[in-house]
Amino acid sequence: MQKTMSHRPIIIGVMGGADVSDRDCRAAYELGGLIAANGWVLLNGGRNCGIMEASAKGALEQGGITVGILPDSDPNNISEFIQIPIITAMGSARNSINVLSSNVVVACCGGAGTISEIALALKHGKPVILMNFSVAPLFEDYRQKGVLTSARTPAEVIVIIKRSIMNP
Amino acid sequence: MQKTMSHRPIIIGVMGGADVSDRDCRAAYELGGLIAANGWVLLNGGRNCGIMEASAKGALEQGGITVGILPDSDPNNISEFIQIPIITAMGSARNSINVLSSNVVVACCGGAGTISEIALALKHGKPVILMNFSVAPLFEDYRQKGVLTSARTPAEVIVIIKRSIMNP
Amino acid sequence: MQKTMSHRPIIIGVMGGADVSDRDCRAAYELGGLIAANGWVLLNGGRNCGIMEASAKGALEQGGITVGILPDSDPNNISEFIQIPIITAMGSARNSINVLSSNVVVACCGGAGTISEIALALKHGKPVILMNFSVAPLFEDYRQKGVLTSARTPAEVIVIIKRSIMNP
Amino acid sequence: MQKTMSHRPIIIGVMGGADVSDRDCRAAYELGGLIAANGWVLLNGGRNCGIMEASAKGALEQGGITVGILPDSDPNNISEFIQIPIITAMGSARNSINVLSSNVVVACCGGAGTISEIALALKHGKPVILMNFSVAPLFEDYRQKGVLTSARTPAEVIVIIKRSIMNP
């Protein structure tokens, strides 16, 4: 587990789809705000749509730092709520960077891309919290070890993040 | 769908775990042999263990070409049955290359890494055949579109590959 | 050229070797401080040695934000002066991310790795400033177009960065 | 240095620009033919232009195996003389894969991209042969160690490759 310097904030990765419901976006927006309010950096895929846009907006409005790991180099695809865009120009290969750079990964509703990130995060030993999203019965061994957990609300996610950080 | 030149062989990606049962390895070995016998190139993760080693061995013994997309640069980790090792030295980010370079992806038994490859393949429009491996109920929309299919034996996989190639 | 939102700071990439002279480290430290003092984000390769460590230390001590694009996933290799470590685990392939994510690239003294970053930055249209480092007569066409420039001191680098930002 | 199995052919990477002179293309074509005639695999950037197209054509016409490491996923950009296209979809980050996967790197005439590949190859300990291309006075330390050499003709390149393979 990565040593956290006093000046090095915890990074929370928020993964999720580009095309999701308003309800999921509202939850991601609220989650982003709570992440920032706790002094953590929000990291996501950086695009201007879906869970990425919503969570970045929530975090930035609460004064948080927002980092986006972009799949392409087109500046028009970057969410305006991302402060620090990291331009990979390597498509889905950047999913691996997303999870390796996060202390904890929260997976909101999403499609195949989001599932690939859950899988990569678990493979690399990162705690994963599913918010209103189920991948059961996959990854049951990770669930039994407590690395994969579920939450229904942003507030519940925050409780689990705090527990993960305390007992890494 | 990628245009296939007369001199450009079909590439079949075979994904699967590093630590799997003998039964799964025997099936992967048989599958590799059938892929080579059909004149297709076998592509996998290139390591000297599990499904990778077994499928490469099967293909090479039948005179096929075997390509391995390696996650690291240690030559000791390359399967001796891989003819053409591609050294990415980029860990799991290479999973994206595995699926993008395959005309059809076959997923044998595996863990989180294999599931990430199934997810990435579907996201990028590649046909995926699960051999004795279930990820249900995930990806049901891809199953209904016929992009995700299941097979119990290597012979069944070959039938589905032929159908995929004919009707890309 | 990337549009810069009011809340999106300019990112200055500082490239350079892991094993350089004390004099080059002192200049990189001073440069990092000036970058932070101007309100810009410092981005570098993130390791705890050479130009990376020195420039991050300079920026962090002036209250700047420091982003490191790490080649591996070993937390012991991260400079303690990097606030936001981005873990790529893809070795030198991350050099491409370094330059694509920077609005302006400053190349301090370095070896083959640094030269690869200068080359990639120029290829992708990024302004490159060489600080006490010569790659002449290579890249003369870029120099004639004004994309590649030289400076002897951190203060001179800052003047050129300001000009680049004004006239992108 | 990578152990070469009896069934594992030597891989020669041929790097060079997309927009080069007819003379350079003819030399690359001849070089590709000689690489194939020696039983070596030709690996390059895979695109349908410049040194990539010419060297692949030369090798394929001599019955060789040609591998292309493509920067994007557009099938229209693949040279028709590439037998095994590896689709990275990661732009210039694939330059690192090009050199890591080659036993010996030959750099023909090119621009910033080619220079980045020479730099990365040297950094990772690969022998580099410049064919009618100069990067002097850069990399003089590598030249003195004999890792970086120069040749005027394809035939001279082949002599140096054979020496490199004999004394890795």
Side-chain angles (χ1 to χ4, degrees):
Chain A
M1 177 59 58
Q2 185 181 302
K3 185 176 56 169
T4 301
M5 310 300 295
S6 59
H7 56 265
R8 192 179 292 162
I10 295 287
I11 299 180
I12 307 298
V14 176
M15 308 300 143
D19 184 18
V20 295
S21 72
D22 284 355
R23 184 169 162 275
D24 285 315
C25 279
R26 278 195 302 273
Y29 171 81
E30 190 185 336
L31 176 64
L34 291 173
I35 286 170
N38 275 279
W40 304 324
V41 168
L42 179 129
L43 180 150
N44 67 25
R47 292 170 58 208
N48 51 0
C49 51
I51 298 293
M52 293 174 273
E53 176 94 346
S55 60
K57 185 170 193 285
L60 196 70
E61 288 183 3
Q62 290 296 321
I65 294 178
T66 55
V67 177
I69 311 292
L70 276 301
D72 65 69
S73 60
D74 185 342
N76 295 316
N77 295 339
I78 307 175
S79 165
E80 62 173 309
F81 304 106
I82 289 294
Q83 255 181 323
I84 303 178
I86 304 297
I87 310 297
T88 72
M90 48 176 66
S92 296
R94 73 84 151 82
N95 293 6
S96 170
I97 301 175
N98 292 357
V99 302
L100 289 173
S101 302
S102 301
N103 294 95
V104 177
V105 171
V106 184
C108 305
C109 185
T114 302
I115 292 171
S116 80
E117 289 167 314
I118 295 168
L120 290 170
L122 293 172
K123 180 177 170 66
H124 291 288
K126 298 288 180 178
V128 175
I129 305 166
L130 306 175
M131 184 169 77
N132 279 325
F133 189 51
S134 172
V135 291
L138 261 60
F139 307 123
E140 268 312 300
D141 43 341
Y142 292 96
R143 189 176 288 279
Q144 280 169 26
K145 285 183 288 183
V147 186
L148 177 65
T149 52
S150 290
R152 279 165 305 173
T153 64
E156 279 183 32
V157 169
I158 299 298
V159 170
I160 303 176
I161 292 175
K162 285 183 176 166
R163 202 194 309 148
S164 290
I165 293 167
M166 293 292 188
N167 311 295
Chain B
M1 178 57 60
Q2 185 178 305
K3 183 176 58 168
T4 300
M5 310 299 297
S6 58
H7 57 263
R8 192 178 293 165
I10 294 287
I11 298 180
I12 308 298
V14 176
M15 308 302 143
D19 184 18
V20 297
S21 72
D22 284 355
R23 184 168 162 275
D24 285 316
C25 278
R26 279 196 300 273
Y29 171 81
E30 190 185 335
L31 175 64
L34 291 173
I35 286 170
N38 276 279
W40 303 325
V41 168
L42 178 127
L43 180 149
N44 67 26
R47 292 170 58 207
N48 52 0
C49 53
I51 298 294
M52 293 174 273
E53 176 96 345
S55 60
K57 185 170 193 286
L60 196 71
E61 287 183 3
Q62 290 296 321
I65 293 178
T66 55
V67 177
I69 310 292
L70 275 301
D72 65 71
S73 60
D74 185 342
N76 294 316
N77 294 340
I78 307 176
S79 166
E80 62 175 308
F81 305 105
I82 288 295
Q83 257 180 322
I84 302 177
I86 304 297
I87 310 297
T88 71
M90 48 176 66
S92 295
R94 72 86 149 81
N95 293 7
S96 170
I97 302 176
N98 292 357
V99 302
L100 288 173
S101 302
S102 301
N103 295 94
V104 178
V105 171
V106 184
C108 305
C109 184
T114 303
I115 293 171
S116 80
E117 289 168 316
I118 294 168
L120 290 170
L122 293 172
K123 179 177 169 66
H124 291 287
K126 299 289 179 177
V128 175
I129 306 166
L130 306 176
M131 183 169 78
N132 279 326
F133 189 50
S134 173
V135 291
L138 261 61
F139 307 124
E140 267 313 299
D141 43 341
Y142 291 96
R143 189 176 288 280
Q144 280 168 28
K145 285 184 288 184
V147 186
L148 176 65
T149 52
S150 291
R152 278 165 307 174
T153 65
E156 279 183 32
V157 170
I158 299 298
V159 170
I160 303 175
I161 292 174
K162 286 183 174 164
R163 203 194 308 148
S164 290
I165 294 167
M166 293 293 190
N167 311 294
Chain C
M1 178 56 60
Q2 184 180 303
K3 184 176 57 167
T4 300
M5 309 300 295
S6 58
H7 57 263
R8 193 178 291 164
I10 295 287
I11 298 180
I12 307 299
V14 176
M15 308 300 144
D19 184 18
V20 296
S21 72
D22 284 356
R23 184 169 162 275
D24 285 314
C25 279
R26 277 195 302 273
Y29 170 81
E30 190 185 337
L31 175 64
L34 291 173
I35 286 170
N38 276 278
W40 304 325
V41 168
L42 178 129
L43 180 149
N44 68 26
R47 290 170 58 208
N48 51 0
C49 53
I51 298 294
M52 293 174 272
E53 176 94 345
S55 60
K57 184 170 193 286
L60 196 71
E61 287 182 3
Q62 290 296 322
I65 293 178
T66 55
V67 177
I69 311 292
L70 275 302
D72 65 70
S73 59
D74 185 341
N76 295 315
N77 295 340
I78 307 176
S79 166
E80 62 174 310
F81 304 105
I82 288 295
Q83 257 180 321
I84 302 177
I86 303 297
I87 311 297
T88 71
M90 47 175 65
S92 295
R94 72 84 149 84
N95 293 6
S96 171
I97 301 175
N98 292 356
V99 302
L100 289 172
S101 303
S102 301
N103 295 94
V104 177
V105 171
V106 184
C108 305
C109 184
T114 302
I115 293 170
S116 80
E117 290 168 314
I118 295 168
L120 290 171
L122 292 172
K123 180 177 169 67
H124 292 287
K126 299 288 178 177
V128 175
I129 306 166
L130 306 176
M131 182 169 79
N132 279 326
F133 189 51
S134 172
V135 291
L138 261 60
F139 308 124
E140 267 312 299
D141 43 341
Y142 292 96
R143 188 176 289 279
Q144 281 170 28
K145 285 184 289 183
V147 186
L148 177 65
T149 53
S150 291
R152 279 165 305 174
T153 64
E156 279 184 33
V157 170
I158 299 298
V159 170
I160 304 175
I161 292 175
K162 285 182 175 166
R163 202 194 309 145
S164 290
I165 294 167
M166 294 293 189
N167 311 294
Chain D
M1 176 57 62
Q2 184 179 303
K3 185 176 58 169
T4 301
M5 309 300 296
S6 59
H7 56 264
R8 192 179 292 163
I10 295 286
I11 299 180
I12 307 299
V14 177
M15 308 301 142
D19 183 20
V20 296
S21 73
D22 284 355
R23 183 169 164 275
D24 285 315
C25 279
R26 278 195 303 274
Y29 171 82
E30 189 185 336
L31 175 64
L34 291 173
I35 286 170
N38 276 279
W40 303 324
V41 168
L42 178 128
L43 180 149
N44 68 25
R47 291 170 57 207
N48 52 0
C49 53
I51 298 293
M52 293 174 272
E53 176 94 344
S55 60
K57 185 170 193 285
L60 196 71
E61 288 182 4
Q62 290 296 321
I65 294 178
T66 55
V67 177
I69 312 292
L70 275 300
D72 65 69
S73 60
D74 185 343
N76 295 316
N77 293 341
I78 308 175
S79 165
E80 63 174 308
F81 304 106
I82 289 294
Q83 257 180 321
I84 302 179
I86 304 297
I87 310 297
T88 71
M90 47 177 67
S92 296
R94 73 85 150 83
N95 293 6
S96 171
I97 302 176
N98 292 356
V99 302
L100 289 173
S101 302
S102 300
N103 295 95
V104 178
V105 170
V106 184
C108 304
C109 185
T114 302
I115 292 171
S116 80
E117 289 167 316
I118 294 168
L120 290 171
L122 293 172
K123 180 178 169 67
H124 292 287
K126 300 288 179 176
V128 175
I129 306 165
L130 305 175
M131 183 169 78
N132 279 324
F133 189 51
S134 173
V135 291
L138 262 59
F139 309 122
E140 267 312 299
D141 44 340
Y142 292 97
R143 187 176 290 280
Q144 280 169 27
K145 285 183 289 183
V147 186
L148 176 65
T149 53
S150 290
R152 279 164 307 173
T153 65
E156 279 183 31
V157 170
I158 299 298
V159 170
I160 303 176
I161 292 175
K162 286 183 175 165
R163 202 194 308 147
S164 290
I165 293 168
M166 293 294 188
N167 310 296

